[in-house]
Amino acid sequence: QTGYITLDPGYGNTGSCLSNITYIDGDQGILRYRGIPIEQFGNGPNFIEVAWLLIFGRLPTEEEYRGFAADLNANANLDEGMKLHFEGFPRAAPPMAILSAMINALSCFYPEHLELDGHDSLRLASARLISKIRTIAAYAYRHSQGLPYIYPDAKLRYVPNFLHMMFSQPYDQFQCDEVVRNALNLLLILHADHEQNCSTSTVRMVGSSQANLFASCAAGVCALWGPLHGGANVEVLCMLEQIHQGNVTPEEYVRRAKAKEGNTRLMGFGHRVYKNFDPRAKMLGEAAEKLLANLGRTDPLLDIARKLEEIALQDPYFIERKLYPNVDFYSGIILRALGIPTNMFTVIFAIGRLPGWIAHWWEQNQTMANKIARPRQIYTGNGQTDYTPMAGRS
Ligand code: SDX
């Protein structure tokens, strides 16, 4: 049985959520998708296999995988009418605003998905959403650059097709080599779910009113946008760039974060649940080193990140508060090495997190279909107060 329960009657409905999807042990630094430790995804499955695992509860058979991949390919294009929306956005529009708006707009083009009644309809809606989020993201980037849209290529797999739509030119197709494909594939997998984080809880909250899947995921995009959540990967790069440009030393930056000067935080550090290393940060730090080595490049921002980590992990302020690198601390280094523009980092996080949102929306839909989430509060406002007509106010 999954869904919302009241764990602490003393606070009324501050129930936690029961779920079968993802397990986290914050003290041990453990993260498992449907029981499988994320460390086992390092050299194996691709993102679409993991998406199926999260949504349908087990790894796909080869036949299921091929069928789902075919559905993704068949649904990679956007309705031509959707392109008119892009033209209406300013070139400098935040890509997360476009992403949320366009995911919601999908509910206008696929009214048959406003209600999902079983495995087959969930599978098609999931394929459409997981496939089209790439196209929407790529078109948002192309529009911001004044570049022509590049249509998806059915011969390409999920990650290469996305990078093709982002970076190809009409006369020159982007070549995605294996190193690049594997790095982005792993990054998407490591972002795919994380139990009741802010954006996933938002998707469950919105979905609890029986709002459709597209509307619920559009709300998740908005929650993810915040700099304390998915937007942190952009803030980490800004922090590293600030240090790299010599405006501040790593030691001085850490001092400012400890002193909370101007609300300075060591972005990419700390977590509500992990009071040990975020296992994703470990894997992404290693993947960043490996990617740069395979590309025959170095990145001073990675050296700065390692220096910040070294300083913070020896500092009593961080040790006492159990603040460790989280998923956002190294992800930006990888995305930067892949040529992804900084303002698209959180969009990539959303592409990765989408299967988790879908899985949680469906789990709740199946177990709590008629139970709207309705948190209660502790009222701290005025006692009963009488109305004062305008003339009597001062
Ligand atoms: C994600 O929930 C999820 O699972 C999220 C996520 C996912 O996969 O969905 O893992 C993705 O959102 C990762 C987090 C990305 N955000 C950041 O990296 C932003 C920087 N981190 C912090 O803002 C903070 O650590 C949070 C928001 C992540 C967690 O905040 P909490 O648990 O509410 O902790 P807090 O703000 O109450 O801080 C407790 C103390 C405070 O100091 P004191 O009042 O005790 O003196 O720790 C300090 C904070 O000032 N602190 C930090 C800090 N994070 C917490 N001080 C300096 N730098 C930091 N990063």
Side-chain angles (χ1 to χ4, degrees):
Q1 171 68 19
T2 62
Y4 281 98
I5 61 165
T6 296
L7 278 184
D8 181 350
Y11 281 105
N13 258 8
T14 54
S16 281
C17 173
L18 293 181
S19 174
N20 297 330
I21 299 168
T22 291
Y23 172 74
I24 298 176
D25 181 327
D27 294 327
Q28 300 300 317
I30 293 172
L31 173 57
R32 300 179 192 142
Y33 295 162
R34 299 287 188 180
I36 302 176
I38 57 161
E39 291 77 6
Q40 295 188 21
F41 296 130
N43 293 302
N46 71 22
F47 175 58
I48 298 310
E49 280 181 83
V50 174
W52 182 281
L53 168 71
L54 287 167
I55 296 168
F56 296 105
R58 57 171 175 76
L59 289 165
T61 62
E62 180 156 5
E63 184 186 359
E64 287 168 333
Y65 172 77
R66 289 190 184 287
F68 196 50
D71 285 345
L72 285 157
N73 264 337
N75 288 279
N77 272 308
L78 301 180
D79 184 291
E80 286 290 301
M82 289 187 81
K83 284 166 63 177
L84 299 175
H85 294 276
F86 288 96
E87 299 316 311
F89 290 114
R91 285 264 175 87
M96 287 295 274
I98 296 175
L99 189 68
S100 178
M102 298 302 275
I103 286 176
N104 210 7
L106 287 174
S107 50
C108 306
F109 289 87
Y110 298 99
E112 67 272 27
H113 292 330
L114 294 182
E115 286 189 19
L116 303 183
D117 57 8
H119 180 282
D120 291 345
S121 63
L122 172 67
R123 187 183 111 158
L124 180 55
S126 300
R128 280 177 166 154
L129 199 38
I130 293 171
S131 191
K132 294 180 192 297
I133 192 173
R134 283 180 300 183
T135 314
I136 292 170
Y139 283 17
Y141 170 66
R142 302 290 289 195
H143 173 64
S144 74
Q145 302 299 305
L147 293 172
Y149 302 122
I150 298 293
Y151 285 102
D153 178 342
K155 296 187 296 301
L156 297 176
R157 297 175 65 176
Y158 191 83
V159 163
N161 212 349
F162 168 62
L163 295 174
H164 159 63
M165 290 188 277
M166 283 282 290
F167 300 129
S168 288
Q169 297 305 339
Y171 46 85
D172 178 22
Q173 174 146 355
F174 175 83
Q175 298 305 317
C176 174
D177 66 33
E178 189 179 353
V179 166
V180 168
R181 188 187 74 221
N182 292 343
L184 186 49
N185 189 64
L186 177 63
L187 187 139
L188 293 177
I189 287 172
L190 295 180
H191 284 77
D193 192 48
H194 211 238
E195 56 130 282
Q196 304 306 316
N197 59 85
C198 178
S199 54
T200 301
S201 295
T202 300
V203 170
R204 289 186 78 116
M205 174 72 81
V206 172
S208 77
S209 72
Q210 296 189 2
N212 69 75
L213 177 62
F214 298 125
S216 302
C217 291
V221 171
C222 294
L224 188 70
W225 192 357
L228 291 187
H229 190 14
N233 56 17
V234 177
E235 299 296 326
V236 169
L237 252 287
C238 296
M239 171 182 74
L240 297 177
E241 283 285 7
Q242 194 186 348
I243 295 171
H244 178 54
Q245 283 159 18
N247 304 334
V248 60
T249 64
E251 293 77 6
E252 172 58 13
Y253 193 95
V254 169
R255 186 199 64 76
R256 290 179 190 173
K258 288 163 57 179
K260 301 179 174 49
E261 285 178 13
N263 201 25
T264 301
R265 288 204 159 187
L266 190 51
M267 299 311 280
F269 251 73
H271 200 276
R272 178 62 58 80
V273 177
Y274 288 119
K275 299 310 172 188
N276 193 326
F277 242 88
D278 180 336
R280 301 167 297 174
K282 265 186 192 169
M283 291 179 75
L284 288 169
E286 291 161 6
E289 305 264 8
K290 184 178 172 186
L291 174 64
L292 288 168
N294 286 335
L295 292 175
R297 289 172 19 200
T298 58
D299 184 345
L301 300 193
L302 179 56
D303 301 331
I304 293 169
R306 288 295 191 201
K307 181 65 180 170
L308 287 170
E309 182 182 352
E310 179 193 328
I311 296 169
L313 294 185
Q314 295 169 23
D315 188 302
Y317 171 94
F318 293 89
I319 296 170
E320 287 159 11
R321 292 166 176 82
K322 298 184 178 179
L323 303 175
Y324 293 89
N326 61 48
V327 68
D328 293 303
F329 194 61
Y330 289 108
S331 59
I333 305 282
I334 292 173
L335 293 172
R336 180 174 136 100
L338 298 179
I340 305 285
T342 306
N343 71 342
M344 290 289 290
F345 284 6
T346 313
V347 170
I348 306 298
F349 193 149
I351 294 173
R353 185 53 51 89
L354 181 61
W357 289 339
I358 294 170
H360 280 274
W361 182 90
W362 180 250
E363 179 178 72
Q364 169 163 283
N365 178 285
Q366 292 303 292
T367 58
M368 306 288 286
N370 299 312
K371 200 76 178 165
I372 193 168
R374 181 35 173 107
R376 290 309 308 277
Q377 64 172 25
I378 297 171
Y379 179 68
T380 57
N382 295 336
Q384 182 169 333
T385 306
D386 294 330
Y387 173 76
T388 306
M390 187 70 80
R393 297 173 205 159
S394 55

